[in-house]
Amino acid sequence: MTTAGISRLLRATFDDAGVQGWLHVRALSASGADVALAADEPVALSSVYKLPLLVAFVRMVDAGEIDPTRRVTVPATPRTAGSTGLSIMRDPVTMSWRDLAVQMITVSDNSAADVLLRKVGLERVTMTLRALGLDATTVTRGSAEEIAGLMTETGAHSVAEAFAALADLDHVATPSGYDPLRASASTARDMTTLLTALWTGQAASPEQTEFAKTVLAQRVGPYRLRAGFPHDAIAVADKTGTLGALRHDVGMVEFPDGDAYAVAVFTRAARPDRLLPGVDAVIGQAARLAVDALRG
């Protein structure tokens, strides 16, 4: 299929699902062949910011600036709100820095991510991004700041009320978390660049590369990107992001014949419903169309 043909097909696929879509898929082979749709347009990252944070963390481990096995106690309060992990636990929790990273990725634990971000620092994340050539990516805040902003912007008195307002079809909400000029943001191409650097060993040592790849492969939830590749023989390692109308997934898809593809799919739905299975599904569908085009 021609470049123009796959672009038209992808646009039609996103349109049928009622979403705006951004996509970049890059082969890890020497050819570096790719498929792109609005791949250089900035998009707010939501929880996908945790992937650059993970890479910054493992690079600090390599530099001897963090002992990944050192234990840290996270008090019961205050903790960043969220639906998984430490965010829903009621008592103090003690675990290692690397296990906080595991929580951050596998269940997208907001509280674990914010603890780790305070250790790593926004400046170090930015340094990591620039060192790897990701000039279009900015991480400006963690989950706590994003949630606090959402509460202010919706006039809510609780986190639950804020997210209910965001999903209310009768309430027009345009939170800063949607705006790539105000939130942490990237492009689909930058995210596949980051994945490629990680998978090819350019981002970290072999030991830390293997740790990051393993954690991404352990992410909970067989949907979005995985839905496009529902076969045990195909390995998928990824990180999702969700905020209201935003639903994203970026990751690596590896076939048993050795072919591997870095994939980034960002979407913004026309509706802000909390459950949008059709949008989750189209992420995998679009990724599969692009990968199939590259595989011929």
Side-chain angles (χ1 to χ4, degrees), residues 94-180:
T94 300
M95 61 174 58
S96 66
W97 286 115
R98 66 182 174 190
D99 280 343
L100 283 169
V102 170
Q103 285 286 110
M104 173 181 73
I105 297 299
T106 57
V107 296
S108 202
D109 186 336
N110 288 342
S111 187
D114 279 344
V115 172
L116 201 63
L117 182 58
R118 286 193 291 272
K119 177 67 172 179
V120 173
L122 288 171
E123 183 178 354
R124 189 54 173 266
V125 176
T126 299
M127 288 173 57
T128 297
L129 293 168
R130 300 301 173 260
L132 296 174
L134 279 72
D135 295 329
T137 303
T138 57
V139 175
T140 59
R141 61 189 184 184
S143 300
E145 290 82 358
E146 186 161 277
I147 292 170
L150 178 62
M151 289 179 62
T152 300
E153 290 151 5
T154 58
H157 299 290
S158 69
V159 175
E161 187 180 325
F163 279 98
L166 194 59
D168 186 352
L169 295 176
D170 296 322
H171 180 84
V172 179
T174 53
S176 59
Y178 287 1
D179 186 352

Side-chain angles (χ1 to χ4, degrees), residues 28 56-57 81 84 92 129 138-139 155 168 180 188 204 241 248 258 275 277 282 291:
L28 257 66
F57 167 71
T84 61
L129 293 168
T138 57
V139 175
D168 186 352
H248 309 325
L275 297 177
V282 81
V291 169

Side-chain angles (χ1 to χ4, degrees), residues 22 43-56 104-105 107-110 113 117 125 129 134 137-143 146 177 183-195 198 216 219 223-225 237-243 246-252 263-267 283:
W22 301 260
V43 182
L45 282 174
S46 184
S47 282
V48 176
Y49 88 89
K50 295 167 185 172
L51 175 58
L53 175 55
L54 173 67
V55 176
M104 173 181 73
I105 297 299
V107 296
S108 202
D109 186 336
N110 288 342
L117 182 58
V125 176
L129 293 168
L134 279 72
T137 303
T138 57
V139 175
T140 59
R141 61 189 184 184
S143 300
E146 186 161 277
S184 298
S186 186
T187 65
R189 193 184 304 275
D190 255 22
M191 285 297 96
T192 61
T193 299
L194 180 59
L195 288 164
L198 184 59
L216 288 162
R219 190 191 65 77
Y223 60 100
R224 296 190 186 170
L225 187 54
D238 63 321
K239 181 68 193 79
T240 60
T242 309
L243 178 68
L246 301 181
R247 279 166 169 76
H248 309 325
D249 204 349
V250 304
M252 191 66 63
V263 179
V265 185
F266 298 151
T267 68
I283 291 173

